[in-house]
Amino acid sequence: MSVSVNEKERIFKLDTPNTSYIIAIMDDPGYAGHVYYGKHISDEDVNYLLRTGESPFVPSGNKRDKISFMDCAPFEYPVHGCGDFREAALKIRTEDGYCTSELYYSGYSISGFTDAPVPGVFGDNGTVLTIELKDKITGLTVELKYIIFEDSDAIVRYSVIHSFTQTLYLERALSASFDMDNEDYELITLNGTWARERYIDRKPIAHGFQGVYSGRGETSHQHHPFMGIVSKDCSQSRGEAYGINLIYSGNFIASVYEGQFDNLRILTGINPEDFEWKLEPGESFATPQAVLVYSSEGLGGMSRSFHDLYREHLIRSPWKDKARPILINNWEATYFDFNEEKLLAIAGEAAKSGIEMLVMDDGWFGNRYDDNRALGDWTVNEEKIKGGLKKLVDGVNALGLKFGIWFEPEMISPDSELYRAHPDWAIAVPGREAALARNQYVLDMSRSDVRDHVFKSLSDILDSANIEYVKWDMNRPLADLASLKLPADRQKELSHRYVLGVYELQDRLIRRYPGLLLENCSGGGARFDPGMLCFSPQIWCSDDTDAIERLKIQEGTALVYPLSTMGAHVSDCPNHTVGRITPFETRGYVALAGTFGYELDITRIPEADRAMIPAQVKMYHMYHELVAAGDYYRLASYSENREYDSWMCIKKDKSEALLTYIQVLGRACVHSRRLKLQGLDPGKIYRIYRFDMESVSELPYGEDKAYHGDSLMNAGINMINLWGDHKGVLLHITELS
Ligand code: DGJ
């Protein structure tokens, strides 16, 4: 890993272990140009790639046609207004209403990376390159920041924008942008809706705009702040893949624009729609951080770079590397219909099976008997929880289980004590009836008085009993944007201030309760993003707990995020969302590819299922470390082949691997299926065992023999046909010692 600078030629080169990223200052007139990003190269003086000498695009010799140059040069941080008609990374407005700026190189610095304000990456083996650009007319200064770490192939980029002499309005202030040639690339995005989050979409890049955005105040169920730009031949293990992900939890854009010369402009940052930021003289604005990854080893290489960066340099929770307690959540067990007796019965039965924590979900507070009321009234409902919260928690602890609780801190129901006392705390445009969603409004989290109240409500509850886990939910998007505390010329700051307010509150919470296990959630997975991972090591992936639906959701999520971050539970059948019936065993295998827990009424499920839980608990303890810390390799995708799914988690030293195989559809009169393994050491010798749920032990898989890693990867193994649909197999592959 290194940052090298050729001062004479004004070229900056970032080298990660396997990639290079090159920026050069154009001789005349001093714009920052994007030269190269891709597989590691040895030379730095490749600024000929900028093509600034090609007629007629020569600014010095062709001033009469500056626009021809501006509209095609490969910029590193393009600005609006002076002839580049492609989408800009930065657009300002002066008090006079002028929107043009022009950024010229004015210096650079290199320093050791200490820490950046959350949300963002951290670590002590990083280096930061700062390139400073200035607009001569407004005095605006932009610092382009690039962070690299010794142990990572990712490049983290963001910008800090300063206004020194006059008030400026930032109409768009994106995190990262770079221009490159289109080599027949394809675009991958993650899209969906409630209960169908992060399905993978792939399509050719064509001229014009393509991309995704959120305007919902959260990253959203519908789109995701990730973009893959991949070569046509890119598969899991081959081809080129660029991955761009934004460490942010609110409105974002991720877009690619193919212009007139078949060149691409790649951009990501805060969505400029509903955004503006006023910079008074002397003030600065830091954009969210964007993570860039390049892999010449296909999508798998890209995913592993993201996973490693997030495990080592993003997730701060002390729970990051620890086994998470196996929890049982009462949401799908009881919904709102529970009391302390019911919860203790679930906890009692759970304890017998080896489950380690009870989580009391929505419905324990105020007069919350359904989802129409009481959000904001965070005092325990003693009609449901007789004797109070402490008595219940003590009772659960006495059974040997930890206790966790659900909150939806950012919300307020119109039918609540809180709303009756503070109607002005809800986000709404004065004089207009604000739109309801799930019969609730959103609290104005940009206000410190509101946040202080919410923090006190939460900490009063957390101080009142031995609560070791919090599920922080958020069940509606933002609309009717207005804050009573902001002046007219700052109203468009609300969405971003809201996100910063949520971050501040979560940060305060985990500082006050350092051992707390926080799980974020947003009506399922509407705020599954790297911003939230800075505060919680795990996020609820989706409200769809059906094992087969989860294959697609978890595959899309794992394209970017480590398996240890994905909240995944075994739930009851027929599944509450899709009505599908899958074997209990298979539900366990799919949940094992996440945090692993239960979401069912353990006192009422079939005896045979209940009897399997102790074996599944043991399975989790046997393999969770491999799943959480291992390298992830996807062998087959049910979304693509419609028949089966398979992935591997491989210990970093390649001495052990866990292979999960899910046969979604049974087949008639066919051979077994050949499966080629990935990621093993070709020279190592392995044995293969199958986890046997009945005996809760490992039995040899197929012939009891030794295999070389290269045989397993190049020739493969036979996956026997299983009898029926929705069946699964777990294979433990261990090095012969
Ligand atoms: C949405 C979450 O995703 C569910 O798990 C559950 O907590 C409900 N909210 C409760 O209202």
Side-chain angles (χ1 to χ4, degrees), residues 664-706:
V664 178
L665 291 180
R667 300 177 301 159
C669 196
V670 284
H671 279 302
S672 55
R673 183 171 269 136
R674 186 70 44 82
L675 199 64
K676 291 183 181 171
L677 277 47
Q678 293 178 29
L680 297 170
D681 182 331
K684 281 193 161 90
I685 298 175
Y686 298 94
R687 273 186 189 281
I688 307 182
Y689 299 94
R690 177 175 67 82
F691 177 74
D692 181 54
M693 199 64 83
E694 237 164 78
S695 60
V696 200
S697 65
E698 293 187 341
L699 306 175
Y701 178 73
E703 237 179 280
D704 188 11
K705 72 182 275 321

mmCIF file of all heavy atoms in Angstrom, residues 664-706:
data_model
loop_
_atom_site.group_PDB
_atom_site.id
_atom_site.type_symbol
_atom_site.label_atom_id
_atom_site.label_comp_id
_atom_site.label_asym_id
_atom_site.label_seq_id
_atom_site.Cartn_x
_atom_site.Cartn_y
_atom_site.Cartn_z
ATOM 1 N N VAL A 664 -33.391 -26.127 -4.163
ATOM 2 C CA VAL A 664 -34.714 -25.489 -4.083
ATOM 3 C C VAL A 664 -35.762 -26.392 -4.717
ATOM 4 O O VAL A 664 -36.847 -26.580 -4.170
ATOM 5 C CB VAL A 664 -34.679 -24.092 -4.750
ATOM 6 C CG1 VAL A 664 -36.061 -23.447 -4.707
ATOM 7 C CG2 VAL A 664 -33.667 -23.203 -4.033
ATOM 8 N N LEU A 665 -35.420 -26.971 -5.863
ATOM 9 C CA LEU A 665 -36.371 -27.869 -6.527
ATOM 10 C C LEU A 665 -35.772 -29.252 -6.699
ATOM 11 O O LEU A 665 -34.632 -29.394 -7.158
ATOM 12 C CB LEU A 665 -36.729 -27.323 -7.917
ATOM 13 C CG LEU A 665 -37.557 -26.044 -7.948
ATOM 14 C CD1 LEU A 665 -37.823 -25.630 -9.389
ATOM 15 C CD2 LEU A 665 -38.870 -26.218 -7.198
ATOM 16 N N GLY A 666 -36.539 -30.257 -6.345
ATOM 17 C CA GLY A 666 -36.118 -31.634 -6.577
ATOM 18 C C GLY A 666 -36.199 -31.943 -8.070
ATOM 19 O O GLY A 666 -36.916 -31.268 -8.817
ATOM 20 N N ARG A 667 -35.452 -32.926 -8.521
ATOM 21 C CA ARG A 667 -35.456 -33.260 -9.953
ATOM 22 C C ARG A 667 -35.628 -34.766 -10.115
ATOM 23 O O ARG A 667 -35.270 -35.531 -9.220
ATOM 24 C CB ARG A 667 -34.123 -32.858 -10.601
ATOM 25 C CG ARG A 667 -33.821 -31.379 -10.505
ATOM 26 C CD ARG A 667 -32.457 -31.058 -11.101
ATOM 27 N NE ARG A 667 -31.380 -31.773 -10.451
ATOM 28 C CZ ARG A 667 -30.184 -31.985 -11.007
ATOM 29 N NH1 ARG A 667 -29.929 -31.551 -12.219
ATOM 30 N NH2 ARG A 667 -29.246 -32.639 -10.365
ATOM 31 N N ALA A 668 -36.140 -35.167 -11.274
ATOM 32 C CA ALA A 668 -36.359 -36.600 -11.518
ATOM 33 C C ALA A 668 -35.344 -37.140 -12.499
ATOM 34 O O ALA A 668 -34.972 -36.459 -13.458
ATOM 35 C CB ALA A 668 -37.767 -36.806 -12.095
ATOM 36 N N CYS A 669 -34.900 -38.356 -12.251
ATOM 37 C CA CYS A 669 -34.102 -39.114 -13.208
ATOM 38 C C CYS A 669 -32.919 -38.319 -13.781
ATOM 39 O O CYS A 669 -32.821 -38.099 -14.980
ATOM 40 C CB CYS A 669 -35.012 -39.609 -14.345
ATOM 41 S SG CYS A 669 -34.231 -40.911 -15.303
ATOM 42 N N VAL A 670 -32.099 -37.821 -12.884
ATOM 43 C CA VAL A 670 -30.901 -37.082 -13.332
ATOM 44 C C VAL A 670 -29.699 -37.569 -12.532
ATOM 45 O O VAL A 670 -29.847 -38.176 -11.474
ATOM 46 C CB VAL A 670 -31.057 -35.557 -13.086
ATOM 47 C CG1 VAL A 670 -31.967 -34.916 -14.089
ATOM 48 C CG2 VAL A 670 -31.541 -35.292 -11.656
ATOM 49 N N HIS A 671 -28.524 -37.268 -13.055
ATOM 50 C CA HIS A 671 -27.317 -37.515 -12.288
ATOM 51 C C HIS A 671 -27.257 -36.556 -11.122
ATOM 52 O O HIS A 671 -27.919 -35.520 -11.122
ATOM 53 C CB HIS A 671 -26.083 -37.237 -13.167
ATOM 54 C CG HIS A 671 -25.745 -38.362 -14.078
ATOM 55 N ND1 HIS A 671 -25.481 -39.625 -13.615
ATOM 56 C CD2 HIS A 671 -25.595 -38.405 -15.427
ATOM 57 C CE1 HIS A 671 -25.189 -40.396 -14.644
ATOM 58 N NE2 HIS A 671 -25.272 -39.688 -15.752
ATOM 59 N N SER A 672 -26.376 -36.869 -10.190
ATOM 60 C CA SER A 672 -26.104 -35.891 -9.138
ATOM 61 C C SER A 672 -25.520 -34.647 -9.815
ATOM 62 O O SER A 672 -25.114 -34.688 -10.976
ATOM 63 C CB SER A 672 -25.110 -36.467 -8.147
ATOM 64 O OG SER A 672 -23.950 -36.892 -8.835
ATOM 65 N N ARG A 673 -25.476 -33.555 -9.066
ATOM 66 C CA ARG A 673 -25.045 -32.290 -9.673
ATOM 67 C C ARG A 673 -23.573 -32.059 -9.363
ATOM 68 O O ARG A 673 -23.147 -32.213 -8.217
ATOM 69 C CB ARG A 673 -25.912 -31.195 -9.070
ATOM 70 C CG ARG A 673 -25.679 -29.840 -9.601
ATOM 71 C CD ARG A 673 -26.744 -28.885 -9.081
ATOM 72 N NE ARG A 673 -27.903 -28.805 -9.953
ATOM 73 C CZ ARG A 673 -29.169 -28.810 -9.539
ATOM 74 N NH1 ARG A 673 -29.454 -28.948 -8.260
ATOM 75 N NH2 ARG A 673 -30.155 -28.681 -10.395
ATOM 76 N N ARG A 674 -22.786 -31.693 -10.368
ATOM 77 C CA ARG A 674 -21.367 -31.427 -10.148
ATOM 78 C C ARG A 674 -21.213 -30.014 -9.600
ATOM 79 O O ARG A 674 -21.742 -29.054 -10.153
ATOM 80 C CB ARG A 674 -20.618 -31.557 -11.484
ATOM 81 C CG ARG A 674 -19.119 -31.440 -11.415
ATOM 82 C CD ARG A 674 -18.446 -32.642 -10.736
ATOM 83 N NE ARG A 674 -18.955 -33.926 -11.152
ATOM 84 C CZ ARG A 674 -18.591 -34.581 -12.260
ATOM 85 N NH1 ARG A 674 -17.704 -34.079 -13.055
ATOM 86 N NH2 ARG A 674 -19.108 -35.754 -12.552
ATOM 87 N N LEU A 675 -20.492 -29.890 -8.501
ATOM 88 C CA LEU A 675 -20.300 -28.572 -7.892
ATOM 89 C C LEU A 675 -18.809 -28.331 -7.757
ATOM 90 O O LEU A 675 -18.103 -29.127 -7.128
ATOM 91 C CB LEU A 675 -20.969 -28.563 -6.512
ATOM 92 C CG LEU A 675 -21.279 -27.210 -5.904
ATOM 93 C CD1 LEU A 675 -22.299 -26.452 -6.745
ATOM 94 C CD2 LEU A 675 -21.835 -27.394 -4.488
ATOM 95 N N LYS A 676 -18.314 -27.251 -8.375
ATOM 96 C CA LYS A 676 -16.891 -26.932 -8.266
ATOM 97 C C LYS A 676 -16.678 -25.967 -7.119
ATOM 98 O O LYS A 676 -17.287 -24.889 -7.085
ATOM 99 C CB LYS A 676 -16.393 -26.334 -9.577
ATOM 100 C CG LYS A 676 -16.380 -27.354 -10.687
ATOM 101 C CD LYS A 676 -15.831 -26.777 -11.962
ATOM 102 C CE LYS A 676 -15.883 -27.857 -13.046
ATOM 103 N NZ LYS A 676 -15.578 -27.357 -14.365
ATOM 104 N N LEU A 677 -15.812 -26.378 -6.203
ATOM 105 C CA LEU A 677 -15.577 -25.553 -5.028
ATOM 106 C C LEU A 677 -14.650 -24.394 -5.387
ATOM 107 O O LEU A 677 -14.007 -24.411 -6.446
ATOM 108 C CB LEU A 677 -14.980 -26.416 -3.905
ATOM 109 C CG LEU A 677 -15.999 -27.212 -3.075
ATOM 110 C CD1 LEU A 677 -17.011 -27.947 -3.918
ATOM 111 C CD2 LEU A 677 -15.289 -28.191 -2.147
ATOM 112 N N GLN A 678 -14.587 -23.418 -4.518
ATOM 113 C CA GLN A 678 -13.718 -22.258 -4.773
ATOM 114 C C GLN A 678 -12.956 -21.905 -3.513
ATOM 115 O O GLN A 678 -13.351 -22.282 -2.405
ATOM 116 C CB GLN A 678 -14.560 -21.034 -5.171
ATOM 117 C CG GLN A 678 -15.274 -21.145 -6.498
ATOM 118 C CD GLN A 678 -16.128 -19.904 -6.778
ATOM 119 O OE1 GLN A 678 -15.835 -18.811 -6.338
ATOM 120 N NE2 GLN A 678 -17.206 -20.128 -7.511
ATOM 121 N N GLY A 679 -11.875 -21.174 -3.692
ATOM 122 C CA GLY A 679 -11.218 -20.511 -2.557
ATOM 123 C C GLY A 679 -10.343 -21.389 -1.683
ATOM 124 O O GLY A 679 -9.767 -20.912 -0.708
ATOM 125 N N LEU A 680 -10.239 -22.695 -2.011
ATOM 126 C CA LEU A 680 -9.399 -23.576 -1.184
ATOM 127 C C LEU A 680 -7.936 -23.410 -1.591
ATOM 128 O O LEU A 680 -7.624 -22.791 -2.610
ATOM 129 C CB LEU A 680 -9.839 -25.031 -1.376
ATOM 130 C CG LEU A 680 -11.269 -25.343 -0.937
ATOM 131 C CD1 LEU A 680 -11.671 -26.749 -1.397
ATOM 132 C CD2 LEU A 680 -11.413 -25.232 0.587
ATOM 133 N N ASP A 681 -7.056 -24.012 -0.827
ATOM 134 C CA ASP A 681 -5.644 -24.016 -1.208
ATOM 135 C C ASP A 681 -5.445 -25.200 -2.152
ATOM 136 O O ASP A 681 -5.662 -26.357 -1.759
ATOM 137 C CB ASP A 681 -4.793 -24.174 0.061
ATOM 138 C CG ASP A 681 -3.313 -24.140 -0.257
ATOM 139 O OD1 ASP A 681 -2.931 -24.537 -1.376
ATOM 140 O OD2 ASP A 681 -2.544 -23.734 0.623
ATOM 141 N N PRO A 682 -5.007 -24.959 -3.412
ATOM 142 C CA PRO A 682 -4.908 -26.079 -4.364
ATOM 143 C C PRO A 682 -3.985 -27.179 -3.869
ATOM 144 O O PRO A 682 -4.178 -28.358 -4.184
ATOM 145 C CB PRO A 682 -4.338 -25.443 -5.633
ATOM 146 C CG PRO A 682 -4.065 -24.015 -5.335
ATOM 147 C CD PRO A 682 -4.620 -23.671 -3.993
ATOM 148 N N GLY A 683 -2.992 -26.816 -3.062
ATOM 149 C CA GLY A 683 -2.017 -27.815 -2.637
ATOM 150 C C GLY A 683 -2.403 -28.530 -1.345
ATOM 151 O O GLY A 683 -1.765 -29.532 -0.979
ATOM 152 N N LYS A 684 -3.388 -28.067 -0.659
ATOM 153 C CA LYS A 684 -3.744 -28.689 0.618
ATOM 154 C C LYS A 684 -4.620 -29.917 0.382
ATOM 155 O O LYS A 684 -5.310 -30.020 -0.633
ATOM 156 C CB LYS A 684 -4.506 -27.690 1.494
ATOM 157 C CG LYS A 684 -3.604 -26.681 2.201
ATOM 158 C CD LYS A 684 -4.397 -25.948 3.281
ATOM 159 C CE LYS A 684 -3.520 -25.315 4.285
ATOM 160 N NZ LYS A 684 -3.001 -24.070 4.271
ATOM 161 N N ILE A 685 -4.577 -30.809 1.349
ATOM 162 C CA ILE A 685 -5.400 -32.023 1.240
ATOM 163 C C ILE A 685 -6.526 -31.926 2.256
ATOM 164 O O ILE A 685 -6.303 -31.574 3.426
ATOM 165 C CB ILE A 685 -4.538 -33.271 1.483
ATOM 166 C CG1 ILE A 685 -3.468 -33.315 0.383
ATOM 167 C CG2 ILE A 685 -5.376 -34.534 1.469
ATOM 168 C CD1 ILE A 685 -2.466 -34.416 0.555
ATOM 169 N N TYR A 686 -7.728 -32.184 1.785
ATOM 170 C CA TYR A 686 -8.922 -31.983 2.618
ATOM 171 C C TYR A 686 -9.749 -33.257 2.726
ATOM 172 O O TYR A 686 -9.692 -34.129 1.868
ATOM 173 C CB TYR A 686 -9.812 -30.905 1.987
ATOM 174 C CG TYR A 686 -9.195 -29.540 1.873
ATOM 175 C CD1 TYR A 686 -8.545 -29.141 0.691
ATOM 176 C CD2 TYR A 686 -9.272 -28.616 2.911
ATOM 177 C CE1 TYR A 686 -7.992 -27.878 0.568
ATOM 178 C CE2 TYR A 686 -8.720 -27.338 2.786
ATOM 179 C CZ TYR A 686 -8.089 -26.978 1.620
ATOM 180 O OH TYR A 686 -7.549 -25.715 1.490
ATOM 181 N N ARG A 687 -10.535 -33.312 3.796
ATOM 182 C CA ARG A 687 -11.600 -34.310 3.907
ATOM 183 C C ARG A 687 -12.925 -33.568 3.956
ATOM 184 O O ARG A 687 -12.988 -32.413 4.393
ATOM 185 C CB ARG A 687 -11.438 -35.115 5.195
ATOM 186 C CG ARG A 687 -10.528 -36.301 4.988
ATOM 187 C CD ARG A 687 -10.486 -37.187 6.217
ATOM 188 N NE ARG A 687 -9.465 -38.186 6.055
ATOM 189 C CZ ARG A 687 -9.599 -39.295 5.328
ATOM 190 N NH1 ARG A 687 -10.738 -39.571 4.728
ATOM 191 N NH2 ARG A 687 -8.607 -40.146 5.221
ATOM 192 N N ILE A 688 -13.986 -34.262 3.574
ATOM 193 C CA ILE A 688 -15.301 -33.600 3.563
ATOM 194 C C ILE A 688 -16.252 -34.346 4.490
ATOM 195 O O ILE A 688 -16.420 -35.568 4.375
ATOM 196 C CB ILE A 688 -15.909 -33.578 2.142
ATOM 197 C CG1 ILE A 688 -14.899 -32.972 1.155
ATOM 198 C CG2 ILE A 688 -17.198 -32.793 2.121
ATOM 199 C CD1 ILE A 688 -15.418 -32.868 -0.261
ATOM 200 N N TYR A 689 -16.861 -33.607 5.386
ATOM 201 C CA TYR A 689 -17.844 -34.177 6.310
ATOM 202 C C TYR A 689 -19.177 -33.486 6.108
ATOM 203 O O TYR A 689 -19.230 -32.307 5.763
ATOM 204 C CB TYR A 689 -17.396 -33.976 7.759
ATOM 205 C CG TYR A 689 -16.081 -34.649 8.053
ATOM 206 C CD1 TYR A 689 -14.891 -33.938 7.947
ATOM 207 C CD2 TYR A 689 -16.032 -35.995 8.400
ATOM 208 C CE1 TYR A 689 -13.670 -34.551 8.181
ATOM 209 C CE2 TYR A 689 -14.816 -36.622 8.639
ATOM 210 C CZ TYR A 689 -13.636 -35.895 8.525
ATOM 211 O OH TYR A 689 -12.436 -36.509 8.748
ATOM 212 N N ARG A 690 -20.231 -34.215 6.375
ATOM 213 C CA ARG A 690 -21.578 -33.651 6.306
ATOM 214 C C ARG A 690 -22.097 -33.504 7.730
ATOM 215 O O ARG A 690 -21.940 -34.422 8.546
ATOM 216 C CB ARG A 690 -22.484 -34.614 5.522
ATOM 217 C CG ARG A 690 -23.937 -34.192 5.433
ATOM 218 C CD ARG A 690 -24.705 -35.144 4.536
ATOM 219 N NE ARG A 690 -24.809 -36.496 5.106
ATOM 220 C CZ ARG A 690 -25.714 -36.859 6.030
ATOM 221 N NH1 ARG A 690 -26.599 -35.999 6.482
ATOM 222 N NH2 ARG A 690 -25.728 -38.103 6.484
ATOM 223 N N PHE A 691 -22.682 -32.335 8.030
ATOM 224 C CA PHE A 691 -23.275 -32.169 9.361
ATOM 225 C C PHE A 691 -24.575 -32.961 9.397
ATOM 226 O O PHE A 691 -25.469 -32.743 8.568
ATOM 227 C CB PHE A 691 -23.538 -30.690 9.662
ATOM 228 C CG PHE A 691 -24.205 -30.476 10.989
ATOM 229 C CD1 PHE A 691 -23.485 -30.612 12.174
ATOM 230 C CD2 PHE A 691 -25.565 -30.171 11.065
ATOM 231 C CE1 PHE A 691 -24.104 -30.443 13.411
ATOM 232 C CE2 PHE A 691 -26.184 -29.995 12.296
ATOM 233 C CZ PHE A 691 -25.447 -30.133 13.468
ATOM 234 N N ASP A 692 -24.668 -33.874 10.342
ATOM 235 C CA ASP A 692 -25.859 -34.715 10.448
ATOM 236 C C ASP A 692 -26.705 -34.216 11.608
ATOM 237 O O ASP A 692 -26.288 -34.285 12.771
ATOM 238 C CB ASP A 692 -25.447 -36.178 10.679
ATOM 239 C CG ASP A 692 -26.660 -37.075 10.771
ATOM 240 O OD1 ASP A 692 -27.481 -37.053 9.843
ATOM 241 O OD2 ASP A 692 -26.801 -37.775 11.804
ATOM 242 N N MET A 693 -27.892 -33.712 11.248
ATOM 243 C CA MET A 693 -28.747 -33.077 12.249
ATOM 244 C C MET A 693 -29.222 -34.092 13.287
ATOM 245 O O MET A 693 -29.405 -33.767 14.452
ATOM 246 C CB MET A 693 -29.933 -32.439 11.517
ATOM 247 C CG MET A 693 -30.668 -31.397 12.281
ATOM 248 S SD MET A 693 -29.694 -29.928 12.666
ATOM 249 C CE MET A 693 -29.821 -28.982 11.182
ATOM 250 N N GLU A 694 -29.457 -35.327 12.836
ATOM 251 C CA GLU A 694 -30.016 -36.321 13.753
ATOM 252 C C GLU A 694 -29.035 -36.710 14.858
ATOM 253 O O GLU A 694 -29.374 -36.690 16.042
ATOM 254 C CB GLU A 694 -30.394 -37.568 12.964
ATOM 255 C CG GLU A 694 -31.857 -37.916 13.155
ATOM 256 C CD GLU A 694 -32.283 -38.890 12.092
ATOM 257 O OE1 GLU A 694 -31.952 -40.076 12.254
ATOM 258 O OE2 GLU A 694 -32.913 -38.456 11.108
ATOM 259 N N SER A 695 -27.804 -36.995 14.440
ATOM 260 C CA SER A 695 -26.824 -37.411 15.460
ATOM 261 C C SER A 695 -26.042 -36.217 16.000
ATOM 262 O O SER A 695 -25.225 -36.358 16.900
ATOM 263 C CB SER A 695 -25.855 -38.422 14.850
ATOM 264 O OG SER A 695 -25.183 -37.832 13.756
ATOM 265 N N VAL A 696 -26.327 -35.045 15.439
ATOM 266 C CA VAL A 696 -25.619 -33.801 15.795
ATOM 267 C C VAL A 696 -24.104 -34.048 15.733
ATOM 268 O O VAL A 696 -23.356 -33.733 16.666
ATOM 269 C CB VAL A 696 -26.039 -33.271 17.186
ATOM 270 C CG1 VAL A 696 -25.686 -31.787 17.293
ATOM 271 C CG2 VAL A 696 -27.492 -33.497 17.462
ATOM 272 N N SER A 697 -23.678 -34.627 14.641
ATOM 273 C CA SER A 697 -22.252 -34.880 14.503
ATOM 274 C C SER A 697 -21.891 -34.816 13.013
ATOM 275 O O SER A 697 -22.771 -34.706 12.156
ATOM 276 C CB SER A 697 -21.909 -36.263 15.062
ATOM 277 O OG SER A 697 -22.548 -37.246 14.273
ATOM 278 N N GLU A 698 -20.599 -34.930 12.738
ATOM 279 C CA GLU A 698 -20.153 -34.879 11.349
ATOM 280 C C GLU A 698 -19.892 -36.295 10.848
ATOM 281 O O GLU A 698 -19.182 -37.071 11.499
ATOM 282 C CB GLU A 698 -18.881 -34.051 11.257
ATOM 283 C CG GLU A 698 -19.142 -32.585 11.569
ATOM 284 C CD GLU A 698 -17.929 -31.714 11.327
ATOM 285 O OE1 GLU A 698 -16.808 -32.256 11.260
ATOM 286 O OE2 GLU A 698 -18.110 -30.493 11.191
ATOM 287 N N LEU A 699 -20.433 -36.616 9.682
ATOM 288 C CA LEU A 699 -20.217 -37.930 9.071
ATOM 289 C C LEU A 699 -19.502 -37.715 7.748
ATOM 290 O O LEU A 699 -19.682 -36.663 7.113
ATOM 291 C CB LEU A 699 -21.567 -38.612 8.808
ATOM 292 C CG LEU A 699 -22.522 -38.729 10.010
ATOM 293 C CD1 LEU A 699 -23.859 -39.316 9.562
ATOM 294 C CD2 LEU A 699 -21.891 -39.617 11.096
ATOM 295 N N PRO A 700 -18.693 -38.677 7.315
ATOM 296 C CA PRO A 700 -18.019 -38.492 6.022
ATOM 297 C C PRO A 700 -19.048 -38.251 4.925
ATOM 298 O O PRO A 700 -20.121 -38.865 4.926
ATOM 299 C CB PRO A 700 -17.297 -39.819 5.797
ATOM 300 C CG PRO A 700 -17.234 -40.461 7.132
ATOM 301 C CD PRO A 700 -18.384 -39.968 7.940
ATOM 302 N N TYR A 701 -18.711 -37.367 3.988
ATOM 303 C CA TYR A 701 -19.611 -37.108 2.859
ATOM 304 C C TYR A 701 -19.141 -37.935 1.674
ATOM 305 O O TYR A 701 -17.999 -37.800 1.230
ATOM 306 C CB TYR A 701 -19.615 -35.623 2.506
ATOM 307 C CG TYR A 701 -20.490 -35.325 1.318
ATOM 308 C CD1 TYR A 701 -21.883 -35.371 1.448
ATOM 309 C CD2 TYR A 701 -19.945 -35.043 0.074
ATOM 310 C CE1 TYR A 701 -22.702 -35.124 0.365
ATOM 311 C CE2 TYR A 701 -20.764 -34.795 -1.020
ATOM 312 C CZ TYR A 701 -22.144 -34.838 -0.864
ATOM 313 O OH TYR A 701 -22.961 -34.599 -1.933
ATOM 314 N N GLY A 702 -20.009 -38.770 1.163
ATOM 315 C CA GLY A 702 -19.644 -39.625 0.041
ATOM 316 C C GLY A 702 -18.562 -40.594 0.474
ATOM 317 O O GLY A 702 -18.546 -41.074 1.616
ATOM 318 N N GLU A 703 -17.661 -40.855 -0.447
ATOM 319 C CA GLU A 703 -16.552 -41.751 -0.147
ATOM 320 C C GLU A 703 -15.685 -41.112 0.934
ATOM 321 O O GLU A 703 -15.379 -39.919 0.832
ATOM 322 C CB GLU A 703 -15.713 -41.879 -1.413
ATOM 323 C CG GLU A 703 -15.535 -43.279 -1.905
ATOM 324 C CD GLU A 703 -14.712 -43.250 -3.177
ATOM 325 O OE1 GLU A 703 -15.315 -42.963 -4.238
ATOM 326 O OE2 GLU A 703 -13.507 -43.463 -3.089
ATOM 327 N N ASP A 704 -15.275 -41.888 1.913
ATOM 328 C CA ASP A 704 -14.449 -41.325 2.987
ATOM 329 C C ASP A 704 -13.015 -41.247 2.482
ATOM 330 O O ASP A 704 -12.228 -42.166 2.661
ATOM 331 C CB ASP A 704 -14.559 -42.231 4.230
ATOM 332 C CG ASP A 704 -13.892 -41.586 5.418
ATOM 333 O OD1 ASP A 704 -13.543 -40.388 5.324
ATOM 334 O OD2 ASP A 704 -13.718 -42.274 6.447
ATOM 335 N N LYS A 705 -12.686 -40.153 1.814
ATOM 336 C CA LYS A 705 -11.372 -40.083 1.189
ATOM 337 C C LYS A 705 -10.785 -38.677 1.292
ATOM 338 O O LYS A 705 -11.494 -37.722 1.642
ATOM 339 C CB LYS A 705 -11.439 -40.555 -0.262
ATOM 340 C CG LYS A 705 -12.146 -39.592 -1.213
ATOM 341 C CD LYS A 705 -12.225 -40.130 -2.618
ATOM 342 C CE LYS A 705 -11.072 -39.931 -3.552
ATOM 343 N NZ LYS A 705 -10.295 -38.751 -3.644
ATOM 344 N N ALA A 706 -9.513 -38.584 0.938
ATOM 345 C CA ALA A 706 -8.846 -37.283 0.954
ATOM 346 C C ALA A 706 -8.839 -36.709 -0.464
ATOM 347 O O ALA A 706 -8.767 -37.454 -1.442
ATOM 348 C CB ALA A 706 -7.420 -37.460 1.455
#
